Amino acid sequence: MAVLWLDDIRGDDLGAVGGKAASLGELTAADLPVPPAFVVTADTYRSFIEETGIDGELFEAVDVDTDDSKALAEAAEHASELIRETPIPESIREEVMAAYEEIGDDAPVAVRSSATAEDLPDASFAGQQETFLNVTGEALLERVRECWASLFTQRAIYYRQEQGFAHDVVDIAVVVQRMVDADKSGVMFTSHPSTGAGVITIEAAWGLGEAVVSGAVTPDNYVIDRETGALRETTVAQKKVMHVRDPETGETVEREVSEDRRGSRVLGEEELEELRALGEEIEAHYGEPQDVEWAIEDGEVYLLQSRPITTIAEGAEEGSVADGGVAEEAELVVSGLGASPGQASGEARLVRKLDELDKVGDGDVIVAEMTTPDMVPAMKRAAGIVTDEGGMTSHAAIVSRELGVPAVVGAEHATDRLEDGQVITIDGEKGSVETGAEAEDERDAIEEVRPQAPVKPMTATEVKVNVSIPDAAERAAATGADGVGLLRLEHLVLSLGKTPERYIEDHGADEYVEQIVDGVRGVADEFYPRPVRVRTLDAPTDEFRQLEGGEDEPTEHNPMMGYRGIRRSLDRPDVFEHELEAFRRLFEMGYDNVEVMFPLVNDVDDVQAARRLMEGVGIDTEKRSWGVMIETPASALCIEEMANVGIDFASFGTNDLTQYTLAVDRNNGQVADRYDANHKAIRQLMAQTIEVCREHGVATSICGQAGSDTDMVRFLVREGITSISANIDAVRDVQHEVKRVEQKLLLDSVR
């Protein structure tokens, strides 16, 4: 049989129908409200590739090194073409169309892939294959074949290899389900998705659920106590768009939500109670917490999908802080700036040269004059970090915060006063370094940044996160941020140990591109489908000069105001084009959540030149999201011209904007006390920029250090900024602060 109906499917049929269909069969068997559907089975897909004789060529085509992005792209294209261009045998066509006619005469259906390695209890591959909505008539057969082909997209091939699933043993089924023309829809977690606590969290928006799942709209958020049924918290979002079925074409389209419904609550008390009851029934049936997609049409609730929640921690893992026990009376040795909060005890490891990094073991405390990108692997092993030099925006400070490792920077004499192997305790909040070890609570760097209750505060202003190194992506994603507002390329490139020119000369341009692709891909995977905004290379000459090949770099009195950012990129297009080629490959691989951001632009000429180079390597600037950093007064004053040439977003880099507006070098101790990102001149430039961008439909954001400052957050939300990107350890506080400000604005508007 080519098809099975949901009535005949149970949870243990996963091998025949895939995870999604098996779950729907279970829900149907439990007499829960599931729209009628049939499944084109995994055996049907297997029969298709074997009867047509394409199976051998198919699996040979995808047997490639997935770290080679060029080979991966070619493999995906070849495999997909094989499936899409091979006719479906007549016997399969007839059975599928006969089943479709039973659903209804030319009835709109949702066609969803259901891979046999999807929605497993310990791994979820949901979203890797295709879904099509509002499919009718003969188009169904083409959509089924496209679902089969989506088993071999670049992302799907890469994920299977990463998870250890052989390509030739993973099959794919296709669910064909009567389309629910939803008035409202969303998702429901039957228990807290991080802790497993007894709360039900429901997200809801107008129209079809694809807008919620894809992140196109910020939904309402409702948190319900399972034990009492009480509604603990309600967050009503500004729902600007909705996905609906176009009555003329039958296609799914995005429409603006009417003004009267944008700020209106989607779900009433009775609907919440019905969803809560269904959630409890679903979890009781499966015996474990579930992630459920639901929809409401004409007052009737329908369940569209249910899968296990795979993000609940099994228990606190052992932290990196050394076991305590007071060894001796503590004595303050040195003090500096508390750059990354937390306490850590361990043996000091003095690192004066890179070849000494091997002596840093798990639980040690790195003590160095300063840190560099080459030291990141050792920093990941360390319990804490102490540096003689550096401030709150130094490499040591930024990377330590992202890794969740306590750090003290600017301690001046640490490398002189501390001895190798000496047991010390550092306080990354107070900035102190003391002798001896103190008992500490176990820490989990990822769990400590994860939102607790609710899953995260739902806000109209998006709250994103800054990421400097790909190694921090998992921790960054655990914050529940709406995406990455700033992923810096320079830390990735500088960690290669050579200037871009020297690296290309020694290893070839393709290898350089691969390094960038791999680094960005790691973050894009962790956040998909949430957006990841990647800033092109922006390292000053003094940092390049420390690398192999850096002897030709110019010597500048103030490198921060010199040869860096887009001005360097445009001056060296032969190198810059390789960065852009990396973005092109990422887009080709299916990473449509990656966005390109250009640093230190001054005017429209910079923007147009960068756009021409993007188009020159084959990036469709109309289709892809790209924008600029606003880091100079010139760029703020020229924003309207830049908006007119097609930028999608403008993001404030407050570290540089403050420095250049106030003529204050933040690394100059003589004037550092005059550095003030909340200065009225900075705020005026920001306010003007936000207003102009809003008039031209350009999104605005902030990704500088000030995005983590409470006063700045309040100001920007009141001005109407689109998103705020904060440091990893500040995301939770910023989320709550944004919510407080938005609620106050709503209250003020109705009083």
Side-chain angles (χ1 to χ4, degrees):
M1 292 179 62
V3 304
L4 288 174
W5 288 88
L6 290 187
D7 292 337
D8 302 318
I9 295 171
R10 297 295 182 271
D12 55 5
D13 291 324
L14 187 144
V17 297
K20 188 180 283 98
S23 175
L24 288 172
E26 275 290 304
L27 294 174
T28 301
D31 201 27
L32 290 164
V34 178
F38 65 88
V39 181
V40 182
T41 66
D43 282 345
T44 304
Y45 156 77
R46 181 63 60 168
S47 297
F48 164 71
I49 62 172
E50 290 180 352
E51 288 180 18
T52 57
I54 65 172
D55 53 330
E57 185 178 355
L58 183 64
F59 298 127
E60 183 180 349
V62 297
D63 185 17
V64 295
D65 178 4
T66 54
D67 289 327
D68 181 343
S69 61
K70 183 178 180 181
L72 180 61
E74 292 174 351
E77 183 176 1
H78 185 184
S80 296
E81 281 183 0
L82 268 178
I83 293 175
R84 289 197 305 267
E85 295 178 4
T86 300
I88 298 177
E90 190 60 32
S91 59
I92 296 176
R93 294 175 64 92
E94 289 178 357
E95 193 169 344
V96 170
M97 291 307 295
Y100 170 64
E101 289 174 6
E102 288 190 42
I103 287 182
D105 184 22
D106 217 26
V109 291
V111 183
R112 304 178 186 271
S113 304
S114 182
T116 57
E118 178 179 77
D119 295 344
L120 301 178
D122 56 352
S124 178
F125 292 81
Q128 296 304 303
Q129 280 76 53
E130 289 284 10
T131 290
F132 301 97
L133 303 180
N134 291 307
V135 179
T136 57
E138 288 287 333
L140 170 62
L141 293 167
E142 287 305 309
R143 295 309 192 195
V144 168
R145 189 157 52 179
E146 288 183 53
C147 286
W148 289 342
S150 73
L151 194 60
F152 298 99
T153 63
Q154 292 182 53
R155 293 190 69 241
I157 296 170
Y158 176 80
Y159 267 105
R160 280 199 297 277
Q161 182 150 316
E162 287 292 297
Q163 296 293 330
F165 287 87
H167 300 300
D168 59 355
V169 299
V170 177
D171 292 332
I172 186 168
V174 181
V175 179
V176 180
Q177 188 171 41
R178 183 183 71 77
M179 188 74 196
V180 176
D181 194 8
D183 306 309
K184 51 187 77 172
S185 53
V187 296
M188 169 170 57
F189 296 103
T190 64
S191 291
H192 193 289
S194 298
T195 66
V199 293
I200 288 179
T201 304
I202 299 171
E203 293 185 341
W206 305 113
L208 302 176
E210 298 304 310
V212 177
V213 176
S214 68
V217 66
T218 300
D220 288 357
N221 181 272
Y222 309 89
V223 181
I224 304 172
D225 189 305
R226 285 183 54 176
E227 185 174 342
T228 65
L231 183 59
R232 284 191 185 179
E233 185 164 351
T234 300
T235 303
V236 179
Q238 285 292 316
K239 300 161 289 292
K240 298 179 181 179
V241 297
M242 61 191 294
H243 287 181
V244 299
R245 179 175 183 267
D246 188 314
E248 295 183 5
T249 66
E251 296 180 352
T252 302
V253 294
E254 185 174 283
R255 295 279 188 260
E256 288 190 1
V257 175
S258 60
E259 290 289 343
D260 61 318
R261 290 207 299 169
R262 286 188 180 187
S264 298
R265 177 169 156 168
V266 174
L267 296 176
E269 298 293 340
E270 291 184 4
E271 292 168 323
L272 286 171
E273 174 57 28
E274 184 172 359
L275 284 169
R276 182 192 67 81
L278 285 171
E280 291 188 352
E281 191 173 349
I282 293 167
E283 182 167 319
H285 178 78
Y286 283 105
E288 60 182 331
Q290 296 286 300
D291 172 358
V292 182
E293 291 183 28
W294 57 268
I296 297 177
E297 179 184 17
D298 295 331
E300 295 292 325
V301 177
Y302 295 95
L303 304 178
L304 307 180
Q305 188 173 335
S306 184
R307 52 178 172 257
I309 299 175
T310 60
T311 55
I312 296 176
E314 294 182 5
E317 296 181 1
E318 192 169 319
S320 60
V321 178
D323 289 336
V326 178
E328 56 184 90
E329 188 174 347
E331 176 187 349
L332 182 67
V333 185
V334 291
S335 61
L337 294 172
S340 180
Q343 288 188 332
S345 297
E347 294 185 6
R349 297 298 176 201
L350 271 66
V351 177
R352 292 188 170 89
K353 297 182 296 184
L354 291 179
D355 58 10
E356 296 178 330
L357 288 173
D358 289 343
K359 68 181 181 182
V360 179
D362 293 339
D364 289 340
V365 178
I366 294 176
V367 181
E369 184 178 347
M370 65 177 65
T371 64
T372 67
D374 302 284
M375 298 173 68
V376 170
M379 294 170 75
K380 291 169 61 180
R381 297 194 296 271
I385 295 162
V386 181
T387 65
D388 290 342
E389 300 180 6
M392 296 299 287
T393 58
S394 64
H395 177 269
I398 291 172
V399 172
S400 298
R401 285 194 295 269
E402 294 196 359
L403 294 176
V405 176
V408 176
V409 301
E412 295 188 354
H413 308 295
T415 54
D416 294 329
R417 296 181 182 175
L418 295 172
E419 298 178 4
D420 210 50
Q422 180 182 8
V423 177
I424 59 174
T425 294
I426 73 170
D427 189 317
E429 188 168 350
K430 297 178 181 177
S432 62
V433 181
E434 299 179 342
T435 58
E438 295 187 4
E440 300 289 345
D441 293 333
E442 291 183 346
R443 300 172 61 248
D444 187 316
I446 293 176
E447 286 306 312
E448 68 185 12
V449 298
R450 196 187 300 278
Q452 297 304 309
V455 181
K456 66 168 183 173
M458 300 307 298
T459 58
T461 308
E462 293 181 330
V463 179
K464 298 180 180 179
V465 63
N466 298 330
V467 178
S468 293
I469 54 174
D471 293 309
E474 182 183 5
R475 187 168 183 259
T479 63
D482 294 312
V484 175
L486 171 63
L487 171 60
R488 300 171 172 93
L489 271 193
E490 55 267 19
H491 287 292
L492 189 157
V493 172
L494 293 173
S495 68
L496 300 177
K498 302 178 180 181
T499 63
E501 293 86 349
R502 177 61 61 84
Y503 193 90
I504 292 168
E505 180 182 333
D506 292 348
H507 305 280
D510 199 58
E511 179 61 25
Y512 179 66
V513 172
E514 284 295 314
Q515 291 287 345
I516 297 174
V517 168
D518 290 344
V520 175
R521 182 167 66 180
V523 183
D525 278 334
E526 197 69 51
F527 277 85
Y528 196 88
R530 291 173 287 174
V532 174
R533 191 166 289 174
V534 186
R535 185 176 72 186
T536 59
L537 191 58
D538 185 23
T541 53
D542 58 335
E543 294 189 16
F544 277 125
R545 201 161 48 247
Q546 299 175 40
L547 305 177
E548 187 178 331
E551 58 274 5
D552 297 328
E553 290 291 317
T555 300
E556 299 179 294
H557 178 66
N558 187 342
M560 291 301 291
M561 296 185 72
Y563 193 50
R564 52 173 281 235
I566 197 66
R567 56 186 65 165
R568 181 188 182 108
S569 297
L570 296 178
D571 193 48
R572 301 187 180 184
D574 54 326
V575 178
F576 185 43
E577 284 172 353
H578 299 311
E579 281 183 63
L580 299 177
E581 170 63 17
F583 286 110
R584 189 196 66 77
R585 291 190 191 180
L586 285 161
F587 294 141
E588 189 178 67
M589 293 165 68
Y591 290 97
D592 51 8
N593 62 326
V594 171
E595 302 177 340
V596 186
M597 181 161 63
F598 298 118
L600 211 63
V601 301
N602 266 340
D603 50 42
V604 71
D605 292 340
D606 288 341
V607 176
Q608 289 177 318
R611 179 174 185 167
R612 285 193 294 269
L613 288 172
M614 275 200 296
E615 293 170 343
V617 301
I619 296 175
D620 186 342
T621 55
E622 296 294 331
K623 182 178 180 182
R624 304 303 178 185
S625 180
W626 61 284
V628 299
M629 296 277 291
I630 302 299
E631 300 169 281
T632 67
S635 59
L637 295 171
C638 294
I639 185 62
E640 185 161 20
E641 288 180 288
M642 292 190 281
N644 286 331
V645 297
I647 63 170
D648 297 298
F649 59 84
S651 187
F652 298 111
T654 50
N655 295 341
D656 282 342
L657 184 60
T658 303
Q659 179 172 247
Y660 302 147
T661 303
L662 303 182
V664 172
D665 181 350
R666 64 178 185 267
N667 295 321
N668 183 338
Q670 300 300 313
V671 294
D673 61 332
R674 294 179 176 270
Y675 181 91
D676 179 13
N678 278 300
H679 192 282
K680 60 183 179 182
I682 310 298
R683 290 194 170 192
Q684 186 173 347
L685 288 171
M686 288 181 166
Q688 290 174 352
T689 301
I690 292 171
E691 182 179 0
V692 171
C693 286
R694 191 164 56 240
E695 291 172 355
H696 289 76
V698 173
T700 50
S701 63
I702 181 173
C703 58
Q705 185 77 18
S708 303
D709 177 78
T710 301
D711 288 339
M712 180 63 78
V713 168
R714 294 192 190 110
F715 165 72
L716 291 172
V717 174
R718 288 195 297 267
E719 291 298 322
I721 199 166
T722 310
S723 67
I724 293 173
S725 193
N727 298 330
I728 292 176
D729 55 348
V731 167
R732 186 190 308 174
D733 291 339
V734 172
Q735 288 170 334
H736 286 284
E737 188 60 37
V738 168
K739 181 176 179 178
R740 277 193 289 270
V741 177
E742 290 183 346
Q743 288 181 328
K744 186 176 186 302
L745 290 172
L746 286 172
L747 285 172
D748 289 345
S749 69
V750 299
R751 282 173 174 165

